[in-house]
Amino acid sequence: MADTDSSGGHTMFEYALHRLHHDDLVRQGEEHRLVREATRLRRTAAPRNTEAESHARRHWFTRAA
């Protein structure tokens, strides 16, 4: 076969598909890291709630008997 390489008989098309998939996974990983970093920076830049405010927001529903 003329379109195979020496690494086990995979075609160049299969290798190109593998590289596309690999590059897509790397891109997704970079996006996830950016989102996590932005979230962390936003949390550190946000003003802190006082004890009374955080306690008031904590209970959305009344307790069951």
Side-chain angles (χ1 to χ4, degrees):
M1 281 184 147
D3 63 345
T4 59
D5 59 16
S6 61
S7 64
H10 296 288
T11 65
M12 292 302 290
F13 178 72
E14 289 172 326
Y15 178 73
L17 283 178
H18 167 74
R19 288 299 306 172
L20 285 173
H21 183 64
H22 173 267
D23 294 343
D24 189 44
L25 289 175
V26 169
R27 181 188 53 77
Q28 287 179 13
E30 290 172 356
E31 287 179 5
H32 286 247
R33 281 187 290 278
L34 285 173
V35 168
R36 282 196 312 266
E37 183 180 354
T39 302
R40 182 183 56 80
L41 290 173
R42 194 172 348 157
R43 284 183 183 155
T44 58
R48 299 286 179 194
N49 290 334
T50 64
E51 180 71 27
E53 290 174 349
S54 62
H55 183 72
R57 289 187 202 158
R58 211 175 293 156
H59 302 288
W60 291 356
F61 303 103
T62 58
R63 291 186 181 184

